[in-house]
Amino acid sequence: MDSDEDDRIPLSQRPEWSDVTPVPQDDGPNPVVPISYSKEFAETMGYVRAVYLADERSHRALQLTAEAIHFNAGNYTVWQFRRLILEALNADLHDELEFVEHLASKNSKNYQLWHHRRWVAEKLGTEAAGRELEFTKKIFVNDAKNYHAWSHRQWVLQTLGGWEDELAYCDELLEDDIFNNSAWNQVSYAVKAILTKPENESSWRYLRGLYKNSMPSFVMDRRVSTVCLTVLTTKANCVFALSLLLDLLSNGFEPNQELKNAVEALLPESRDQDSDMAVTICSVLEIVDPMRVNYWRWRKKSLHSEVEEGVRNLRVH
Amino acid sequence: MSDDGDLPWRFSADQGLEDQLFDRDRHIRYLEMNYHLLPSPYEGQEIIRLTLAYFTISGLHILDALDRVDREAVINWVLSLQAHPKNEAELNNGQFYGFHGSRSSQFKSLDNGVSVPNNSHLASTYCALAILKTVGYDFSLIDFSSILKSMKNLQQPDGSFMPIHTGAETDLRFVYCAAVISSLLDDWSGMDKEKAKNYILSCQSYDGGFGLIPGQESHGGATYCAVASLRLMGLIEDDLVSRCTSSSIIDVPLLLDWCLQRQADDGGFQGRPNKISDTCYAFWVGGVLRILGANNFIDEITLRKFLLTCQSEYGGFSKFPGQLPDPYHSYYGFTAFSMLQETGLNSFNVELGISTVTL
């Protein structure tokens, strides 16, 4: 913004503002954490105070809010006043989308900006859905994990439309029967992702999450233990495979010999092996995930109560 | 000097990172500097000046240097930011009467007949009360009932909270603010706890963490807001991990596992899987683990090492190693070190977000 600062004409020198007296800030006698405001900032806020107190909802006030927002994009008072002005002027909100998009490149994690964007989109209604999804995609180009953009996307699909039918369908399927065709695809998708990058925690959590409401399916679906076995035998990063296997065992899963061998191979000292596979797994995890050694030791100690709980859950179903 | 590598105060000719210490004196100077004057780039955060004050004053308290603060000046300035309804009618007009974050949202109306709505904010209100509590202000001296009465206006049908009555995003952050305000004022009449609880539970994700809104990805900060709120409301017990009973309104084992996996190879904490470690998550996620009673499952040695790589030569902490410090990451760096029981630091109440050590 440095070049803009050089071009900026002080408000006191702009003829269209000659009738307004700026209102200075009154910080009181002993302010705490005072900020050393630049003269440009102080002047802008002085004029903002003047128009706000006069409740002036004009074009020049609209322009002034843009200047204030550039100084402090988090100023929710100015954003809110801007919305009042836009309504009063019956402004073309498509221009407003442009304004937000321009700001977003440097303020993509600003809550007020995203709230404003949502307000505008909601006013424009369902016709805005496509553009909003495109907008989030643009953000993802530079920041694929932008939390605000994902929330906005979710909101667009839920509120402006596009996904209700599909979502309801998926929900229904997963609730009824995890072995249903599309759910089947979900598990395959997760397994493929795991095998591509076994060190990626996200795919493991996603797979586990698919069985959230169906514990028996979790235990009985052979694809779960199979993916664990595959990862263990390829000696790839096995922390998550072991953790998932531990989860299975706690829920009453009966391992076959192949699995037992694969786990024991990770603990070459047979004296460290235990007839209880879950105990052995914890011992391995203490070694391969040393950062969380205390946690795995605690898990080992808690095993009995875990298994009782898991088997109880199975019986209920 | 003995050559015992275990001693943390061993000096060597080239002070490698392993020998780096928590530089309490330098941090105090950094906070004192901020307390007296923040440089002009901070005008970009003008609207949350009260929050910056909270980071500074509470930070000094944690570092056991609160004597650097002019208690009377702080109290007067903070109280001057409170919004007051003129009468009973105003109190019931649907607005929230809390504290403003700065003069930028606080307007003295001119005598021109134009009524100016107050822009006091839930998060600023928390910061104000936290600061007043920190400097030992006697809460019985002032009637805070208007805060609680009007806070109800901010709660949404789904149990979440909006931070300001003129309209804003609603999410777990403000549920936390409402809960901690109620806790500090020791009065829960300003919120419907049952509705808030249901909203919080609807934010727990399939992987055990909490998203900021229902259906959103688990996030360290959101998870803190959820768990701290439930604890403050008395809806989950202390030290859940040691209790053998599995009955809890949240999925504790899954939450525990998710939180522990947030400690990355470099020892720092990340906010979400596959993101880089950031100083502040040592508090957000570390704090959750402390509430659950699982802080001994954290690798404290490597966490300390990571945090010290974010310690600035100017005092304070930065978000990532080698960057410039800022008040937010500095504050959460201090809280993390307090939880690590660093010598010379006051103990810290994780759910309240302040040190409750009395002066």
Side-chain angles (χ1 to χ4, degrees):
Chain A
M1 284 277 281
D2 286 330
S3 57
D4 288 359
E5 274 164 29
D6 294 333
D7 297 337
R8 181 185 178 274
I9 301 168
L11 286 151
S12 58
Q13 289 170 24
R14 297 185 214 173
E16 67 273 22
W17 284 102
S18 56
D19 61 307
V20 173
T21 313
V23 176
Q25 172 165 303
D26 174 12
D27 225 0
N30 292 303
V32 175
V33 296
I35 298 172
S36 174
Y37 307 122
S38 63
K39 14 188 240 311
E40 295 79 17
F41 178 87
E43 192 198 35
T44 304
M45 293 312 293
Y47 278 83
V48 166
R49 265 184 284 274
V51 296
Y52 190 82
L53 286 165
D55 199 17
E56 183 191 309
R57 305 186 191 184
S58 64
H59 284 284
R60 69 176 181 181
L62 185 69
Q63 175 51 35
L64 187 62
T65 60
E67 291 186 44
I69 284 166
H70 274 104
F71 276 110
N72 182 191
N75 190 323
Y76 50 83
T77 303
V78 174
W79 276 109
Q80 206 269 329
F81 188 45
R82 188 177 174 87
R83 287 190 278 278
L84 292 176
I85 299 170
L86 288 168
E87 283 181 324
L89 296 178
N90 204 21
D92 183 350
L93 292 177
H94 296 95
D95 295 336
E96 195 61 11
L97 291 177
E98 287 284 342
F99 172 70
V100 173
E101 231 162 284
H102 181 73
L103 266 178
S105 52
K106 293 221 175 89
N107 295 284
S108 66
K109 296 188 185 180
N110 178 297
Y111 285 95
Q112 287 69 39
L113 178 138
W114 285 99
H115 174 71
H116 190 77
R117 181 84 190 192
R118 185 186 291 206
W119 178 86
V120 175
E122 198 156 23
K123 285 216 165 239
L124 289 171
T126 46
E127 51 130 311
R131 184 170 175 169
E132 289 314 290
L133 295 175
E134 275 309 306
F135 175 57
T136 58
K137 275 194 189 161
K138 281 192 199 155
I139 301 292
F140 294 144
V141 166
N142 292 317
D143 181 5
K145 298 173 190 173
N146 186 304
Y147 202 81
H148 302 265
W150 280 108
S151 296
H152 188 72
R153 205 175 160 84
Q154 183 182 311
W155 173 82
V156 171
L157 290 166
Q158 281 168 348
T159 315
L160 299 185
W163 233 19
E164 304 97 326
D165 299 324
E166 207 177 299
L167 258 183
Y169 180 67
C170 286
D171 277 342
E172 218 182 359
L173 290 174
L174 287 167
E175 234 176 300
D176 289 340
D177 180 6
I178 199 82
F179 290 103
N180 186 291
N181 199 47
S182 62
W184 190 275
N185 290 338
Q186 294 251 8
V187 173
S188 297
Y189 176 79
V191 167
K192 239 204 286 183
I194 287 171
L195 293 174
T196 312
K197 282 232 155 79
E199 69 276 18
N200 183 358
E201 181 191 345
S202 300
S203 345
W204 291 97
R205 297 231 181 251
Y206 185 76
L207 176 67
R208 180 68 182 85
L210 289 171
Y211 299 94
K212 195 167 107 124
N213 298 316
S214 342
M215 208 40 63
S217 316
F218 175 58
V219 174
M220 293 189 298
D221 190 343
R222 300 201 57 217
R223 291 173 295 173
V224 181
S225 50
T226 304
V227 72
C228 292
L229 178 62
T230 310
V231 173
L232 289 176
T233 48
T234 58
K235 304 270 192 288
N237 183 310
C238 58
V239 172
F240 302 119
L242 288 166
S243 180
L244 193 62
L245 205 44
L246 191 59
D247 219 352
L248 277 172
L249 292 170
S250 300
N251 283 286
F253 173 74
E254 309 263 355
N256 60 16
Q257 196 55 50
E258 220 189 333
L259 256 176
K260 288 188 191 160
N261 294 342
V263 169
E264 280 166 13
L266 297 169
L267 248 192
E269 301 288 330
S270 52
R271 65 183 163 164
D272 295 325
Q273 293 165 12
D274 194 291
S275 55
D276 183 347
M277 190 164 143
V279 174
T280 309
I281 289 178
C282 288
S283 301
V284 177
L285 281 165
E286 285 172 36
I287 299 167
V288 301
D289 192 18
M291 186 163 272
R292 282 158 277 272
V293 64
N294 290 340
Y295 172 59
W296 298 120
R297 280 186 194 146
W298 173 78
R299 287 290 299 270
K300 190 191 273 180
K301 272 196 293 192
S302 322
L303 275 173
H304 288 299
S305 42
E306 264 184 48
V307 174
E308 273 161 24
E309 175 69 23
V311 170
R312 257 207 304 277
N313 283 339
L314 262 187
R315 289 216 188 99
V316 166
H317 288 92
Chain B
M1 286 264 179
S2 78
D3 201 31
D4 187 348
D6 289 337
L7 291 173
W9 54 85
R10 181 187 64 151
F11 285 97
S12 60
D14 54 305
Q15 282 240 302
L17 283 174
E18 310 78 53
D19 306 319
Q20 218 184 338
L21 302 173
F22 178 83
D23 201 337
R24 179 174 164 267
D25 288 339
R26 205 179 292 247
H27 295 311
I28 291 172
R29 285 202 296 278
Y30 171 76
L31 290 177
E32 275 187 290
M33 199 176 71
N34 291 347
Y35 173 78
H36 288 291
L37 188 67
L38 283 166
S40 53
Y42 282 94
E43 63 196 16
Q45 295 179 59
E46 154 63 21
I47 197 77
I48 57 156
R49 203 168 128 199
L50 189 52
T51 307
L52 299 175
Y54 156 70
F55 291 147
T56 306
I57 293 165
S58 183
L60 282 166
H61 190 20
I62 292 167
L63 297 181
D64 197 24
L66 202 53
D67 56 315
R68 309 295 206 271
V69 152
D70 179 346
R71 194 178 163 272
E72 287 307 311
V74 167
I75 290 167
N76 290 333
W77 182 72
V78 171
L79 291 177
S80 76
L81 289 163
Q82 191 177 6
H84 298 277
K86 289 205 197 79
N87 46 45
E88 195 68 27
E90 268 211 352
L91 176 56
N92 296 318
N93 67 5
Q95 295 187 23
F96 168 61
Y97 291 94
F99 286 76
H100 298 90
S102 75
R103 296 282 187 251
S104 292
S105 63
Q106 184 179 40
F107 298 84
K108 282 201 201 112
S109 47
L110 307 169
D111 293 321
N112 58 2
V114 175
S115 89
V116 174
N118 90 79
N119 290 290
S120 58
H121 192 283
L122 204 56
S124 308
T125 304
Y126 161 61
C127 291
L129 296 176
I131 292 172
L132 292 173
K133 194 74 167 182
T134 297
V135 298
Y137 184 69
D138 183 357
F139 279 16
S140 70
L141 288 177
I142 275 231
D143 178 23
F144 287 123
S145 64
S146 55
I147 297 178
L148 292 165
K149 280 198 186 122
S150 60
M151 194 164 82
K152 284 196 276 230
N153 299 326
L154 296 176
Q155 191 162 23
Q156 305 301 296
D158 66 0
S160 67
F161 273 82
M162 194 177 281
I164 177 167
H165 60 266
T166 50
E169 66 281 13
T170 64
D171 57 50
L172 269 184
R173 292 174 298 154
F174 307 118
V175 173
Y176 170 73
C177 289
V180 71
I181 286 167
S182 303
S183 189
L184 286 169
L185 296 178
D186 195 19
D187 186 327
W188 293 87
S189 60
M191 64 185 285
D192 183 327
K193 283 205 275 189
E194 186 64 22
K195 282 202 173 133
K197 177 196 91 179
N198 291 331
Y199 181 77
I200 295 170
L201 296 183
S202 72
C203 290
Q204 187 168 30
S205 176
Y206 62 81
D207 58 13
F210 289 78
L212 214 49
I213 57 173
Q216 247 289 39
E217 185 191 358
S218 297
H219 183 280
T223 303
Y224 168 83
C225 290
V227 176
S229 298
L230 290 172
R231 183 76 199 104
L232 287 168
M233 292 194 280
L235 296 172
I236 57 172
E237 293 171 320
D238 208 11
D239 203 12
L240 277 169
V241 151
S242 320
R243 293 164 197 272
C244 293
T245 55
S246 61
S247 68
S248 172
I249 56 174
I250 55 174
D251 187 334
V252 176
L254 207 53
L255 169 66
L256 175 64
D257 199 88
W258 186 86
C259 288
L260 287 170
Q261 281 300 333
R262 302 289 55 81
Q263 187 170 19
D265 290 339
D266 60 7
F269 275 85
Q270 57 189 194
R272 296 179 267 167
N274 301 324
K275 293 214 80 182
I276 44 179
S277 302
D278 170 341
T279 301
C280 65
Y281 292 108
F283 172 72
W284 300 122
V285 181
V288 172
L289 289 166
R290 178 160 283 269
I291 293 173
L292 295 177
N295 40 297
N296 57 314
F297 296 157
I298 297 172
D299 182 335
E300 295 194 340
I301 295 171
T302 38
L303 172 61
R304 228 188 110 87
K305 267 206 193 123
F306 171 78
L307 291 174
L308 288 172
T309 65
C310 298
Q311 178 170 257
S312 170
E313 57 184 320
Y314 303 107
F317 285 85
S318 58
K319 181 182 172 85
F320 301 133
Q323 293 192 344
L324 288 173
D326 64 72
Y328 169 93
H329 291 95
S330 298
Y331 184 66
Y332 292 114
F334 304 146
T335 61
F337 270 93
S338 171
M339 291 194 292
L340 288 170
Q341 299 180 307
E342 176 69 25
T343 327
L345 266 53
N346 280 323
S347 63
F348 183 76
N349 183 309
V350 174
E351 303 94 84
L352 292 177
I354 50 172
S355 170
T356 45
V357 169
T358 41
L359 300 163

